[in-house]
Amino acid sequence: MSQTVDMRVRLGSLELRNPVLTASGTFASGREYADFMQLECLGAIVTKGVSLHPWTGNASPRIAETASGMLNSIGLQNPGVEAFCANDLVWLATRDVPVIVNVSGHSVAEYVAVAERLESESTVSALEVNISCPNVDEGGMAFGTSCPAAAEVTRAVRAVTRKPLMVKLSPNVTDIAEIARAVEAEGADAVSLINTLLGMAIDTDTFRPKLARAVGGLSGPAIKPVAVRMVWQVASAVAIPIVGMGGIMSVEDAVEFMLAGATAVAVGTANFVDPTVTRRIAEGLETFCRGRGIDRVAELTGAVKL
Ligand SMILES: Cc1cc2nc3c(=O)[nH]c(=O)nc-3n(C[C@H](O)[C@H](O)[C@H](O)COP(=O)(O)O)c2cc1C
């Protein structure tokens, strides 16, 4: 049982020490979690979405608990790319962990401007372009639900960055595989999926929606089977690596995503339940492999037996 497991995986040219990432928007820039765990045990930190200018986000209430999950309509609140670089990135530079910056925008030009600003920042290991946020009126998910729009954003950002480029896909589509193919064709190095599913909850005392915005994004265990299915479909449609997410709470959940075809996984809502969950999953994944005589964690990717 003393066998060592090779936990390294690759997302394009980016090598990660293990396949466990944080899901954007659920781990801020890691600072708050550094009190609970060594961030160096992560494959990478994926930051909250960063836009060109500061965004205040949506009105409250913007979180509602649901059976096996949560609804959020935060709306990509963030301080803007300049403040992000001056504060979060400076702090992240002191940590020995790859940083993947989640990029958001209201327009193609805005995505491009953020990517251009980040290009000279050596602390940024890769970009994750969010074309799937359900909580903004302009941009966001609008880019991720049409092949031409998804292709246009990817092409435009690809033109201004040499960093590994990951595109985050929306589950709120009829055929996620065709969107994945469209962004792969425009030079994406990886895709990540899924973002939240559009949902709604209504308070039966007040007859009002539980979220001020009425609708929001559903995350957590409730969405996991949908996410696993989508990872599996995308895995057979593209050759680029997939970062799978949606309701991962345990080592077994992470393994399931890898078996479906994910090269790496991201953990989101579970961080709100247990701030050390990512460390537990990273360590548990190694134990899982060792216990089964698996030498390289990458062997799990796509290993589902049909
Ligand atoms: C509170 C909250 C904020 C989020 N913010 C972002 C974001 O800024 N950018 C993004 O691409 N995804 C964002 N997401 C989506 C998550 O990264 C993830 O795709 C989704 O929640 C599914 O994973 P989970 O079920 O493990 O949470 C957010 C999710 C939550 C719950």
Side-chain angles (χ1 to χ4, degrees):
M1 287 299 250
S2 62
Q3 151 223 1
T4 53
V5 181
D6 184 352
M7 293 296 288
R8 293 170 301 172
V9 295
R10 294 192 79 86
L11 297 178
S13 58
L14 177 64
E15 185 179 280
L16 307 178
R17 60 171 71 99
N18 70 57
V20 181
L21 282 54
T22 60
S24 176
T26 64
F27 207 78
S29 292
R31 210 170 186 150
E32 291 82 351
Y33 287 84
D35 289 340
F36 299 101
M37 56 184 263
Q38 294 277 338
L39 301 182
E40 287 73 13
C41 69
L42 293 168
I45 288 181
V46 181
T47 71
K48 172 73 183 160
V50 177
S51 54
L52 185 57
H53 304 294
W55 287 4
T56 51
N58 294 319
S60 293
R62 47 190 196 171
I63 296 275
E65 205 163 324
T66 66
S68 304
M70 65 180 268
L71 282 169
N72 93 82
S73 59
I74 304 294
L76 300 177
Q77 179 180 337
N78 80 96
V81 70
E82 280 310 328
F84 171 80
C85 291
N87 300 312
D88 304 63
L89 262 193
V90 168
W91 183 83
L92 282 163
T94 65
R95 307 285 140 160
D96 179 23
V97 61
V99 176
I100 300 177
V101 178
N102 184 275
V103 176
S104 44
H106 287 112
S107 63
V108 174
E110 198 174 338
Y111 283 104
V112 167
V114 176
E116 276 177 330
R117 174 62 188 84
L118 295 172
E119 190 60 9
S120 58
E121 296 287 345
S122 58
T123 306
V124 179
S125 299
L127 303 182
E128 179 184 58
V129 175
N130 178 11
I131 57 168
S132 45
C133 180
N135 296 322
V136 288
D137 291 326
E138 291 165 53
M141 195 172 82
F143 290 109
T145 51
S146 126
C147 283
E152 187 189 356
V153 178
T154 309
R155 182 164 55 245
V157 175
R158 178 75 289 171
V160 298
T161 187
R162 278 182 298 191
K163 295 188 190 288
L165 174 60
M166 183 154 85
V167 179
K168 178 138 176 206
L169 306 182
S170 172
N172 302 300
V173 293
T174 311
D175 182 1
I176 196 167
E178 70 172 8
I179 309 275
R181 276 193 293 266
V183 304
E184 180 185 43
E186 295 298 342
D189 297 303
V191 282
S192 51
L193 59 138
I194 60 174
N195 208 315
T196 53
L197 277 155
L198 204 54
M200 183 177 184
I202 301 172
D203 186 322
T204 50
D205 287 328
T206 62
F207 287 22
R208 290 182 187 282
K210 288 188 176 174
L211 298 175
R213 206 181 132 82
V215 298
L218 180 65
S219 62
I223 70 171
K224 198 189 83 182
V226 177
V228 172
R229 182 265 294 178
M230 288 186 161
V231 165
W232 181 64
Q233 288 178 321
V234 169
S236 58
V238 299
I240 52 179
I242 297 168
V243 176
M245 74 196 87
I248 296 177
M249 305 290 288
S250 67
V251 176
E252 290 72 22
D253 293 340
V255 170
E256 217 179 312
F257 273 88
M258 294 190 73
L259 294 176
T263 292
V265 295
V267 181
T269 301
N271 290 296
F272 303 141
V273 180
D274 173 4
T276 65
V277 65
T278 43
R279 186 190 65 203
R280 188 161 51 75
I281 292 176
E283 289 170 0
L285 202 48
E286 189 169 354
T287 309
F288 178 95
C289 291
R290 197 178 301 121
R292 284 162 183 75
I294 295 168
D295 296 328
R296 294 170 48 243
V297 71
E299 290 170 35
L300 292 174
T301 299
V304 60
K305 296 177 182 170
L306 296 172

